[in-house]
Amino acid sequence: MAAADELATHSRSATGIDRQYLTREHAAVNTIAAGWMRAAGMETWQDAAGNQCGRLEGREPGLPALILGSHLDSVPGAGRYDGILGVLTAIAAVARLTAGELPFAVEVVAFGDEEGTRYGRTLLGSFALAGSWQPAWADELVDATGLALRAAATEFGLDPDAIGEAAREPHQVVGYLEVHIEQGPILEQEDRRLAVVTSIAGARRMIFTLTGDARHCATPWALRRDSLVGASEAIVAIERIGRERDSPVTVGHIRVEPDAVNVIPGVTEFSLDIRDAEDGSRDATLAVIREEIDRIAAARGLAVDVRETHAASATHCAPHLQRAFEAGIRATGDDDPRFLYSIAGHDAMAVAALTDVGMLFVRCAGGISHSPDESVRTDDVAAGLDALEVAVRALAAEHEGAGAAS
C-alpha cells in the first residue's frame, strides 16, 4: 500500500494521477519498480517496448516462465490501484519465492501502456510482449501535441524500429496471471474480497452519424429533419435495449453541426461502446440496436452512417488458471469462491495471443475506478497476495505432475 502511494507521486497532474507512455513519469516508475524487483530477488531489464521486467529463475536457468503482471500507466485523473495493484502484488508474491524453487521461472512485467491515453490505441505494452506489435504504429500513432510515437520512443531511449523485439515466444512462457481491482461493485455488494475472472468482455465501438437538414429555428414542425432529436431518441433506445438484454452499452460522445442555438442540427454524431461476456450476445444486442436506430431515422427522415472504430473478441481465462486462483481464494478462508466476468479490458486480452491467461479480482470501494476516489482495503490486498502466491504454487505442483506423467 505504501508502494502504491509512492508511485502515485509520479504524475504530470496534481489532481488525480496522469502517467502516460514514454514520458518522464513512465521512466521514473520503471526505475522504482526495478528496484523493488531486485529487492525481491529478481534480475531486471526494460524491454524494447519500455515494459519493466524482472525474472526469478526456476530449478535450472532458462526455463519457461510464468508471467505475473499488469500496467503502470494511467488515464488522466486516475486513482492509484488500477493496474498498479497487479504489478505490486506480483512483486510481493515473488518476494515470497526462492530462486531455484519452482519447476519454471517466474517473471513480473509492468506494462508501460495499457490505457492508450497518449496514443489512442490501448494495450501497446502487452501487444509488444505478445508479438502483436505493428511496426507502422511508430509513425501512424501521434499524440495530442503532434509528436509521433517514433520520436517519443527515441526520446525515451528506445529504438522505435526494435519495439517488436519485446515479443516472447510461446515456448518461453507457461502462462500469465494478473491481479486487478474489480472496477465494479459486485464484490462489495456481496461482501466478498476476491473473485476468479472467467472471461474479459469482447468490445465493439461505433460512431453513428445521423444527417437531416440544418435550418432556421422558425422552420415548421412538419418540415423539420432534426438530427439531434433523432439521436436523442436513439440514445434512449440504446439504454433501454442494453438494460433489457443485460449488455453494458455506453454512449460517451456526441457532436452536433452546426452547433448554433437558433439552428436545427443538421448532423449529429454519437458513439456506442458495447460489451458482453460472449461475442455472440454482444453482436446480437448490437443488431437489435442497429435495427432500432434505422427505424427511428426512417421515421424522422434522417440518413444513417455507421463506422466501427474498435473491435475486440472476448478473452476466456484458461480453466486450469481459474482453478489455481480458485485454490488461492479458498486458502484465504473463502470456501465458496465467486466467479465473475470482466466488463473492463485488461492486458490479459493481448497476452492471450501468446499464452493462457488467468485473472483475480480484488474488491474496490463502490466499484469506483479511473478516479482519484479509487480505493481498496488493506486486508483485501493481503488476501489477494496470499491467493496469488497459492495460485503460483498450485501451478508449480500441476506442472510437476504433468512432467511426471509424461
Side-chain angles (χ1 to χ4, degrees):
M1 299 297 281
D5 292 341
E6 180 176 347
L7 293 182
T9 65
H10 295 276
S11 169
R12 68 174 193 169
S13 169
T15 56
I17 300 165
D18 187 351
R19 189 165 53 241
Q20 299 182 16
Y21 186 44
L22 304 176
T23 61
R24 63 182 182 182
E25 292 81 19
H26 174 188
V29 296
N30 271 14
T31 299
I32 294 168
W36 292 332
M37 290 175 181
R38 288 191 292 272
M42 289 179 266
E43 296 182 0
T44 65
W45 71 99
Q46 181 177 270
D47 74 14
N51 302 313
Q52 181 57 49
C53 307
R55 179 180 171 98
L56 186 76
E57 292 291 354
R59 289 181 184 158
E60 47 186 89
L63 290 172
L66 175 66
I67 299 177
L68 317 178
S70 197
H71 61 97
L72 292 180
D73 68 314
S74 79
V75 297
R80 61 190 63 196
Y81 303 109
D82 175 1
I84 289 84
L85 182 65
V87 174
L88 298 178
T89 305
I91 295 171
V94 172
R96 297 180 172 187
L97 306 173
T98 303
E101 175 185 2
L102 301 180
F104 45 68
V106 179
E107 294 186 8
V108 175
V109 179
F111 293 110
D113 177 273
E114 188 262 5
E115 301 289 2
T117 299
R118 185 173 186 184
Y119 287 104
R121 179 177 286 276
T122 59
L123 306 171
L124 291 177
S126 41
F127 272 139
L129 179 122
S132 305
W133 178 266
Q134 302 299 311
W137 290 345
D139 298 302
E140 291 176 355
L141 300 181
V142 179
D143 70 12
T145 71
L147 188 70
L149 190 148
R150 173 177 295 279
T154 301
E155 289 180 6
F156 192 79
L158 303 177
D159 177 356
D161 293 319
I163 291 176
E165 294 176 10
R168 308 294 181 85
E169 296 295 331
H171 71 270
Q172 298 175 318
V173 183
V174 299
Y176 172 80
L177 300 180
E178 182 171 357
V179 176
H180 207 283
I181 61 172
E182 182 194 353
Q183 297 178 288
I186 295 175
L187 288 176
E188 186 175 65
Q189 289 172 353
E190 298 182 357
D191 193 24
R192 292 174 176 265
R193 291 177 172 177
L194 308 172
V196 179
V197 178
T198 57
S199 65
I200 305 170
R204 294 180 69 179
R205 293 175 185 163
M206 333 287 291
I207 294 292
F208 286 85
T209 303
L210 303 188
T211 303
D213 282 335
R215 295 191 179 190
H216 193 283
C217 63
T219 303
W221 290 109
L223 300 179
R224 292 187 179 213
R225 296 171 60 226
D226 189 323
S227 67
L228 179 55
V229 174
S232 301
E233 188 176 350
I235 292 167
V236 171
I238 287 170
E239 182 190 45
R240 172 180 54 78
I241 294 166
R243 284 177 177 270
E244 290 172 351
R245 300 179 64 86
D246 197 26
S247 288
V249 294
T250 303
V251 176
H253 158 81
I254 190 166
R255 180 182 63 84
V256 301
E257 296 178 6
D259 196 19
V261 295
N262 61 346
V263 181
I264 296 166
V267 177
T268 301
E269 171 187 282
F270 63 92
S271 62
L272 171 64
D273 181 298
I274 180 168
R275 309 181 182 211
D276 214 314
E278 300 292 340
D279 294 345
S281 300
R282 177 202 62 197
D283 294 346
T285 299
L286 178 60
V288 174
I289 289 171
R290 290 284 304 270
E291 182 178 355
E292 181 65 4
I293 291 176
D294 286 343
R295 184 196 65 76
I296 291 167
R300 292 184 172 276
L302 306 173
V304 182
D305 178 72
V306 187
R307 175 169 55 91
E308 186 165 58
T309 59
H310 172 78
S313 296
T315 299
H316 294 273
C317 295
H320 75 288
L321 299 182
Q322 291 187 50
R323 289 193 298 270
F325 271 135
E326 181 181 6
I329 293 176
R330 289 183 183 277
T332 68
D334 183 347
D335 294 329
D336 183 26
R338 185 68 157 91
F339 289 76
L340 293 174
Y341 89 92
S342 176
I343 297 173
H346 303 286
D347 286 300
M349 297 178 73
V351 180
L354 171 70
T355 189
D356 288 339
V357 301
M359 288 193 69
L360 178 77
F361 272 163
V362 177
R363 169 171 51 186
C364 60
I368 297 170
S369 183
H370 286 191
S371 163
D373 294 332
E374 204 171 75
S375 178
V376 294
R377 288 169 37 170
T378 303
D379 58 337
D380 291 348
V381 173
L385 172 57
D386 290 343
L388 177 59
E389 179 193 359
V390 170
V392 171
R393 295 187 183 280
L395 290 172
E398 179 183 286
H399 195 82
E400 288 186 314
S406 62

